């Protein structure tokens, strides 16, 4: 059975931290949709290079990392107060 | 700070935060754990604060946010320690994943890795410690940045 812990807790931790990411504060630099596509691609490469760390299963990516990223971006776009 | 640093530091901060979360979640099987992972998350926050400065940083925490999550981390640690005290006789005793035989198997195996033994409360302790360290270290750096701002204003 694949452990659901990294998926659940990675997402919750990501939501906690990502809820405070507000790019509206930044002066003279802008982050648009294409910036986040690049961030997602870079993060997926990192997750793939990490391999199955730390839970051994059939997926070639680190699930804790991927779900933390999903949580961060989800709460950054949904919960964070300013754009 | 230069434009290049401002463009690259937010993506690096996000990746550092994800790495820290992954380190916390693997603390019971690999090197690392709550403190190390929390420090990695805080390093992402610190990078962003140093590059953009206090007031302009995309990752900034309010007093309430830091207070709430640091308290949750400390309270969770104490509660898990007290569970060990009442169930096993010692503070922070690892009572295992099945406390008083009432926890269903699906929850027992939530953070169970392919190994003959179950880590019990250790992953949950790591999560609470990580929450506390991340909030505490970020709070220290935000306070230092604030003190620096005050000092500069006084000198002017």
């Amino acid at each position: 059975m694949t452990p659901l812990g990294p998926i659940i807790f990675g997402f919750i931790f990501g939501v906690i931290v990502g809820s405070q990411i507000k790019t509206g504060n930044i002066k003279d630099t802008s982050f648009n949709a294409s910036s986040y596509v690049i961030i997602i691609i870079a993060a997926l490469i990192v997750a793939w290079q990490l391999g199955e760390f730390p839970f051994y299963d059939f997926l070639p990516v680190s699930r804790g990392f991927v779900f933390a990223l999903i949580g961060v971006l989800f709460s950054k776009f949904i919960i964070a107060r300013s754009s | 700070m230069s434009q290049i640093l401002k463009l690259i530091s937010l993506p690096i901060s996000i990746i550092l935060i994800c790495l820290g979360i992954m380190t916390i979640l693997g603390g019971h099987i690999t090197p690392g754990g709550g403190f190390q992972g929390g420090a990695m998350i805080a390093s992402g926050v610190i990078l962003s604060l140093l590059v953009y400065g206090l007031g302009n940083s995309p990752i900034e925490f309010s007093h309430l946010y830091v207070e709430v999550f640091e308290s949750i981390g400390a309270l969770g640690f104490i509660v898990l320690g007290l569970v060990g005290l009442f169930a096993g006789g010692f503070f922070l005793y690892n009572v295992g994943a099945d406390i008083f035989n009432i926890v269903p198997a699906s929850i027992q195996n939530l953070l169970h890795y392919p190994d003959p033994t179950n880590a019990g409360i250790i992953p949950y302790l790591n999560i609470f410690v990580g929450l506390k360290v991340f909030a505490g270290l970020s709070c220290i750096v935000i306070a230092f940045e604030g003190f620096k701002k005050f000092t500069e204003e006084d000198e002017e």
Side-chain angles (χ1 to χ4, degrees):
Chain A
M1 189 188 130
T2 52
L4 290 173
I7 294 173
I8 296 168
F9 290 108
F11 185 78
I12 292 172
F13 235 111
V15 166
I16 288 172
V17 183
S19 64
Q20 300 296 310
I21 300 180
K22 290 163 283 205
T23 46
N25 291 347
I26 306 173
K27 288 176 186 164
D28 62 36
T29 308
S30 66
F31 287 90
N32 48 25
S34 57
S35 317
Y36 293 103
V37 173
I38 299 294
I39 292 174
I40 290 168
I41 291 169
L44 285 178
I45 291 171
V46 174
W48 174 58
Q49 287 293 317
L50 285 165
E52 295 135 7
F53 180 89
F55 298 93
Y56 311 126
D57 54 28
F58 53 88
L59 285 176
V61 295
S62 172
R63 276 182 305 165
F65 186 96
V66 169
F67 278 88
L69 177 77
I70 292 170
V72 167
L73 293 180
F74 171 81
S75 67
K76 189 253 168 289
F77 290 118
I78 305 290
I79 303 172
R81 282 162 290 178
S82 78
S83 63
Chain B
M1 290 283 176
S2 77
Q3 198 73 27
I4 296 170
L5 277 175
K6 284 187 176 177
L7 271 174
I8 201 68
S9 63
L10 180 63
I12 291 180
S13 293
I14 290 175
I15 289 175
L16 272 174
I17 287 166
C18 297
L19 275 172
I21 293 170
M22 188 201 68
T23 308
I24 291 173
L25 295 176
H28 54 299
I29 180 170
T30 57
F35 185 88
Q36 291 84 347
M40 284 168 78
I41 300 175
S43 72
V45 177
I46 293 165
L47 174 70
S48 177
L49 275 169
L50 286 177
V51 170
Y52 297 100
L54 192 66
N56 300 323
S57 171
I59 310 177
E60 266 187 6
F61 301 140
S62 64
H63 184 94
L64 182 71
Y65 177 89
V66 171
E67 196 180 343
V68 165
F69 286 108
E70 190 152 5
S71 306
I72 289 173
L75 277 175
F77 190 87
I78 297 294
V79 167
L80 281 178
L82 288 178
V83 167
L85 182 65
F86 289 118
F90 301 98
F91 187 71
L92 281 179
Y93 183 78
N94 192 351
V95 291
D98 188 10
I99 304 165
F100 301 123
N101 299 322
I102 52 169
V103 182
S106 54
I107 295 177
Q108 280 179 47
N109 294 325
L110 211 55
L111 285 161
H112 187 53
Y113 47 89
D115 192 79
T117 53
N118 195 314
I121 63 168
I122 303 295
Y124 303 100
L125 275 178
N126 277 333
I127 288 166
F128 285 121
V129 172
L131 205 57
K132 176 149 179 60
V133 169
F134 138 70
L137 288 183
S138 309
C139 177
I140 290 170
V141 174
I142 290 169
F144 281 167
E145 285 261 337
F147 295 152
K148 194 178 154 199
K149 223 174 186 178
F150 271 126
T151 320
E152 284 168 0
E153 279 171 9
D154 280 349
E155 281 171 1
E156 285 168 10

